[in-house]
């Protein structure tokens, strides 16, 4: 069971990296394929929460279980804030006044808080798996 959960955790991380790479392809934002990948990624986050909560008790708390629980907290935060969209963090923001300005309502918004939270969650999951991997393989 431990091996299965460890491999499942690594598989979820791989799928998350693969679906996060969809931005490299010409998929229009808000299109059906984009929405599919968003939902797929969100389902992976929910599955990762279960794996992160089950892995420490199944492995008899070997390694640093705090890493797995931190990962689960971050994944849960990501699922909760999924709908939050904020302007990208930039050194220089586009002007909202002047000839070549962009109105505040038209500034592009992204889900960077969600993406940051789930990426950190997967980072902590991989860190935990590395602390227990040698014992089970």
């Amino acid at each position: 069971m431990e091996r299965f959960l460890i491999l499942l955790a690594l598989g979820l991380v791989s799928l998350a990296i693969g679906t996060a790479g969809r931005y490299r392809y010409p998929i229009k934002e808000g299109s059906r394929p984009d929405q599919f990948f968003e939902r797929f990624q969100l389902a992976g986050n929910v599955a990762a929460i279960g794996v992160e909560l089950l892995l420490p008790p199944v492995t008899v708390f070997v390694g640093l279980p705090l890493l797995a629980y931190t990962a689960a907290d971050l994944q849960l935060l990501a699922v909760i804030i999924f709908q939050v969209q904020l302007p990208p963090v930039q050194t220089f923001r586009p002007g909202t006044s002047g000839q070549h300005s962009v109105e505040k309502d038209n500034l592009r918004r992204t889900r960077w808080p969600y993406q940051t939270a789930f990426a950190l969650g997967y980072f902590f999951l991989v860190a935990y798996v590395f602390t227990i991997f040698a014992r089970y393989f």
Side-chain angles (χ1 to χ4, degrees):
M1 181 71 163
E2 299 90 356
R3 285 183 174 196
F4 172 73
L5 284 176
I6 291 170
L7 293 175
L8 181 60
L10 293 175
L12 286 170
V13 171
S14 300
L15 285 174
I17 291 171
T19 58
R22 76 182 186 275
Y23 298 112
R24 303 252 181 233
Y25 300 109
I27 296 176
K28 188 174 180 180
E29 203 171 317
S31 66
R32 284 183 155 239
D34 184 53
Q35 290 174 355
F36 167 77
F37 281 120
E38 282 179 354
R39 290 186 185 122
F40 185 72
Q41 200 170 50
L42 194 60
N45 294 342
V46 172
I49 292 170
V51 170
E52 292 156 353
L53 291 175
L54 281 176
L55 206 50
V58 168
T59 59
V60 194
F61 299 98
V62 174
L64 298 170
L66 184 61
L67 291 173
Y69 293 128
T70 302
D73 289 342
L74 287 166
Q75 294 289 358
L76 182 62
L77 174 69
V79 170
I80 290 170
I81 65 171
F82 174 71
Q83 293 298 328
V84 174
Q85 290 188 341
L86 297 174
V89 178
Q90 299 175 341
T91 307
F92 299 101
R93 295 201 181 270
T96 55
S97 63
Q99 186 177 10
H100 299 287
S101 65
V102 178
E103 292 182 30
K104 270 194 171 180
D105 296 339
N106 293 336
L107 289 175
R108 184 171 180 264
R109 296 177 165 275
T110 62
R111 288 194 170 99
W112 69 263
Y114 158 75
Q115 293 166 340
T116 304
F118 90 76
L120 283 172
Y122 281 124
F123 172 78
F124 280 102
L125 176 60
V126 168
Y128 178 66
V129 167
F130 278 138
T131 65
I132 63 172
F133 191 81
R135 181 165 183 166
Y136 294 101
F137 288 95

